[in-house]
Amino acid sequence: MGGVEEIHRWTVKMSTPGVLAVVTFFSMIPGGVLSDMRCTQGLEAQHFAQGSTHLHRRLKRDWIWKQLFVPEEDPTPRVIGQLKSDYDQGEYSIKYILSGEGAGDVFEIDEYSGEIRTLKKLDREEKAFYVLQAQAINRRSNEPEEPQSEFIIQVQDINDNVPQFQNEPYVSSIPEMCPTGTRVAQVTATDADDPMFGNNAKLIYSILQGEPYFSVEPKTGIILTSWPHMDREAREQYLVVVQVKDMLGLSGGYSSSTTVTVSLTDVNDNGPTFQHHMYTFAIPENAAMGTTVGRIMAEDGDIGINARMTYTLNDDLEESSTFIIKTDPVTQEGVVLLAQPLDYETKRRFVMAAEAVNDHIDTRFLTLDDFRDRTTLKIVVEDVDEPPVFLSQVYWWKVPENAAVGTVLGSVSARDTDTVGNPIRYSLDKRSDTTKDFNIDPKNGTITVARTLDRETTNWHNVTVEAKETVQNHLSSFLVVFIKVLDINDNVPRLARDYQPYICEGTQAGEIIQVLSAVDPDDPVEGHHFYFSMVPANHINPNFTIRDNQDNTASIVARRSTFTRKDRTQYLLPVVMTDSGSPALSRTSTLTISVCSCQPAGHCPTGGVEALALSMGVSLQTLLGLLFCLVTLTVLSIIMLKVRRHRRKQQEGHDVEVKELELPETVSSKVLYYGESVDGGVDLDFGHSVVPLRHHPHRRRERRLWRDDVRASIRMSLRESHLIGPEDDVFRQFILDRLAEADQDPHVPPFDCLKIYANEGSETPTGSLSSLASSTFEIEPEQPVCNPRPYLVRLTPWYGGGEEDTIF
C-alpha cells in the first residue's frame, strides 16, 4: 500500500495549477499480483499455528489504467481511459464507481470494464481539468477491493480564441517636433488560449496604418515615432491602426486590430507676424476717451499659451501717448483705444509703431527676434461741429442776502472751438432758477441779481447757464454756476418754544420757575449769542426776575414766597431777547405764569388744565364734574340705543307670530260684541256686521288734546322709568294709571275687538290692557265698534316703542 500512497501524493501535486498547465500522459505500472485478503489471513494463521516466527510482507497492489487525456471542443463521445484493478480477472466480479467533478454529467465509467467515456464536448477556457475519484467494489461482498483513488482528467487546448485588445479606445498625445523613437503609447492584447501549450497564445503586433510616422514593437506592443520634426501646424492628429495575431503570426491563426489616436501638442515654434505693414484708422474729434479706434492682429501659428502676445505702441514716432493698445485675451487682437481728447483744429493725424511679442519664448526652436514683429499705425482725426466750450469748468460766487437788485455777480465765457468760430448767445435754464432770482446778459454772459435774496429761504443757488451757437447747427453747452448767499443779521430772536410756566403755591423766593432759550434763523460766523433781560421800567418787578445764564439760556426766578391762587391766578412777565448781530436786534415776548396747587415734589398734576381753569374763573373740581357728566351721558345714550334696538327686534318677531294667527270664518268678517248676560256671564255676539264709527268733530278734538297730555305724561314717566326699572313701584303705578285711563275712555286704544285682544294675549309681561277683563268698565248707551285698523300707540321703549316716542 506504500506504493499506492506515493501515487496519491503524486496525483495531488499534479492537481496544482502550475503543474496542470502542461498536458501529461501518465500510466500506472502494475505491481506484484497477490492472492486475496482471505488467503493471506489463512497463511498468517497457519504460520502462527506452526509456531513460525517469520511473517510474509503484503505485496503492493495498484490500479491498472490507460492515459487520461481529452481534447477540447470535440463533440464526439469517446473512451479516454480505463480503470482496472489487479483483482479483476475478467469475471466481472469487480464493480467500478466514478465520482468527483463532472462524474455522470461530463464523464461516465463502465462499471464492468472500467472504461471512462466523455459525454459532451469540453471547453478548456471554461474548465482546464477535472478531479475525480475511482473505487472498485466486490460485487459479492459489496466491500471495496481497493482503497478510493483520486486522479485528474486534463483538457487539451486548441486555438479557438481570438486575441482581444484591452483598455480601448487608445488615445495619446506627444509634443510636436519630438525626436524619432519617442514613445507614444502601448497597446495590450490577451488570448484566452493556453499560453503554455504550443503557439496558440503567442501574440505578435504589427502596424497596419500609420507608417512611416509610427512603428510598433512586435512583442510588447509599444508604439514609437519613426518620423522626425512632425509639425502640428501641418497636421495635428494621426490615426494609427495596430494588428495583433496569435500563433506567432503563422497561417491558421486569429487576428484583431485597434486604433490609436495620436495628437500633437503645441510648442512655441512660431512667432507673431503682421499681415500688413500699415494699418489706417479714422476717428471723430469728439470721440470720448476709451473709444475703440481699431483692432490689429499679428498671426501666430501656435495655440494656447504659446500664441499669447502683448502689443505695445512705441514712442519713437508721433505722440503715441494719445492712444493706448491692449490685448484681447480671447482673440489675441491688439485693441487701439483713445486715451486723450482729440482736437481737429490742433492735430489731424497720428502715426505710431505697434509691436507684438510672444509672452512665452522657447529658444529651442527660434531666436529671440523671431518672437516679435512690428507694424505702423496711422490714425486720422475727422472734423466735427462741436458745441461751445466754457473757458472755465467751475464758477463759484458769493453774494450777501441784502444785495441790491442789479448787483453784478460775475461773467461766464464760452467760445466755438471750430474753425468757423460761430458767435455765442447765453441764457439761464429756467428749471434751475424757478424763482427768477438772477438775470444774464445774452451777449457777454454777465449774471446779476434780479430780486431780493433771502439766505434763510435758500442759502445756495445752482444756476445752469446755456451757451448756444447762433448759426449753423445751433449746438449748445451747459455749465452750472454755484452762488452762495451770505448771511446778514436781519432776523430778530424768538423763544425756542411756547413756554407755559407755572409757579407752585409753596415756592420759595430764589427758586427757578422756568429755563428759557431762544432761536434765530440767522447764521453768524461766530455763532449765536443771546442776551435776556427784563423790560426797562421805573420800578422793579416785585414778583419775578430774569437771570441770564451766559449760555444762550435764561432762568425765571421767584422774588417772593407768598404766591396763592386766592390772591392771583396768573402773572404776566415780559422778556427781552437781544442777539449779538451788527446791528443787534431784539424782541419782547410776554410769558403767562400760572399759579398751581402742586404736589409735594413740586409737580403740577394737571399741567396746563388747571391753569386754563383758573384763567376762566372755574375751579378744577367743577371741570372734573362736567367731564364726568359728559362721560355718563354718553354711556347712558349708548345703553338706551342698544335696548331700543333689542326691543324692536322682539316686537318684529311678535308681529310675525300675530300674522300667523287664523280666526274662524264666522269671525273674520264680524265684530265681536260682548255684554252681561242674565246669569252674570258674558254673551258674545258674532251676528252683527262691522259698523264704522260716527264722526264727531268736538270729541275728536278732545281726544287729540287728551292724547297730547297722555304722551307728555308718558315722556315724563319714561325719563324716570329708564332709571328705576320695571320692578319699581313707580313703574307699576304708571302702568295702573294708564290702565285706568284706558278703561274710562273707549275712544283711545286698546280697542275692544277680538283681533287686538288676540294680539295682546295673556302672556305679555304687563298683562292685557284690554277692558274685556276690567270690572270697572260701564257700557255706555252708544257702544263703539272696533276699528279693523286701530291706531296703536306704543307706551314705552321697553316694549319696542318708535323713535318719536322716546324723544324728550
Side-chain angles (χ1 to χ4, degrees), residues 406-420:
T407 301
V408 177
L409 301 180
S411 298
V412 296
S413 179
R415 68 180 182 88
D416 184 10
T417 58
D418 296 322
T419 56
V420 179

Side-chain angles (χ1 to χ4, degrees), residues 298-364:
E299 295 184 357
D300 192 328
D302 299 321
I303 60 174
I305 190 174
N306 297 318
R308 294 181 184 176
M309 63 189 74
T310 301
Y311 295 89
T312 57
L313 296 178
N314 295 336
D315 297 334
D316 56 349
L317 298 179
E318 302 178 7
E319 297 185 13
S320 61
S321 60
T322 307
F323 302 91
I324 60 174
I325 188 170
K326 294 183 178 181
T327 303
D328 190 328
V330 178
T331 62
Q332 294 299 310
E333 293 178 310
V335 183
V336 182
L337 303 174
L338 179 63
Q340 294 182 2
L342 300 175
D343 187 9
Y344 174 81
E345 290 71 27
T346 304
K347 190 174 183 60
R348 304 181 181 183
R349 187 184 67 172
F350 294 86
V351 179
M352 63 201 74
E355 185 178 54
V357 182
N358 272 137
D359 294 344
H360 301 274
I361 298 175
D362 192 346
T363 56
R364 294 179 303 170

Side-chain angles (χ1 to χ4, degrees), residues 511-528:
E511 291 187 11
I512 297 176
I513 300 174
Q514 181 71 58
V515 177
L516 307 177
S517 61
V519 293
D520 192 333
D522 293 326
D523 186 18
V525 179
E526 299 81 6
H528 286 290

Side-chain angles (χ1 to χ4, degrees), residues 730-775:
V730 176
F731 190 91
R732 294 178 181 176
Q733 185 61 39
F734 167 77
I735 297 301
L736 293 178
D737 293 342
R738 300 289 81 75
L739 179 60
E741 292 173 357
D743 290 343
Q744 297 299 327
D745 190 358
H747 301 286
V748 297
F751 300 98
D752 293 334
C753 67
L754 180 60
K755 180 178 181 182
I756 293 178
Y757 186 74
N759 288 342
E760 292 176 353
S762 59
E763 298 299 329
T764 57
T766 57
S768 176
L769 300 181
S770 175
S771 60
L772 293 176
S774 176
S775 60

Side-chain angles (χ1 to χ4, degrees), residues 501-692:
Y502 62 89
I503 185 172
C504 298
E505 290 182 324
T507 301
Q508 301 297 320
E511 291 187 11
I512 297 176
I513 300 174
Q514 181 71 58
V515 177
L516 307 177
S517 61
V519 293
D520 192 333
D522 293 326
D523 186 18
V525 179
E526 299 81 6
H528 286 290
H529 187 76
F530 301 108
Y531 303 93
F532 299 86
S533 62
M534 303 283 290
V535 176
N538 297 330
H539 59 279
I540 300 175
N541 191 323
N543 302 312
F544 308 98
T545 186
I546 296 178
R547 183 173 62 196
D548 196 328
N549 298 327
Q550 300 300 318
D551 59 353
N552 291 339
T553 63
S555 301
I556 301 177
V557 182
R559 302 190 62 177
R560 61 185 181 87
S561 305
T562 58
F563 293 96
T564 60
R565 291 184 300 169
K566 294 182 180 180
D567 297 339
R568 191 171 179 179
T569 60
Q570 291 181 346
Y571 294 89
L572 301 179
L573 179 63
V575 179
V576 179
M577 295 166 290
T578 306
D579 59 17
S580 58
S582 179
L585 300 179
S586 63
R587 169 181 288 183
T588 301
S589 298
T590 302
L591 297 176
T592 301
I593 303 176
S594 303
V595 181
C596 177
S597 177
C598 299
Q599 293 180 351
H603 175 67
C604 186
T606 57
V609 177
E610 182 178 10
L612 177 63
L614 294 174
S615 63
M616 296 175 60
V618 182
S619 63
L620 179 61
Q621 290 79 2
T622 304
L623 289 176
L624 293 177
L626 292 175
L627 181 61
F628 179 75
C629 291
L630 291 176
V631 173
T632 304
L633 290 176
T634 303
V635 173
L636 290 177
S637 300
I638 295 174
I639 295 175
M640 291 174 60
L641 181 62
K642 295 293 183 180
V643 172
R644 184 173 60 188
R645 290 180 178 178
H646 179 69
R647 293 302 181 184
R648 181 180 301 171
K649 292 180 179 180
Q650 288 184 346
Q651 183 64 29
E652 291 175 355
H654 181 69
D655 292 341
V656 172
E657 294 177 358
V658 171
K659 290 180 180 181
E660 295 177 355
L661 180 63
E662 297 182 358
L663 296 178
E665 296 181 357
T666 56
V667 182
S668 60
S669 60
K670 303 295 181 178
V671 177
L672 177 63
Y673 292 96
Y674 56 91
E676 295 182 0
S677 59
V678 179
D679 53 357
V682 179
D683 294 334
L684 298 178
D685 186 5
F686 296 95
H688 300 282
S689 300
V690 177
V691 180

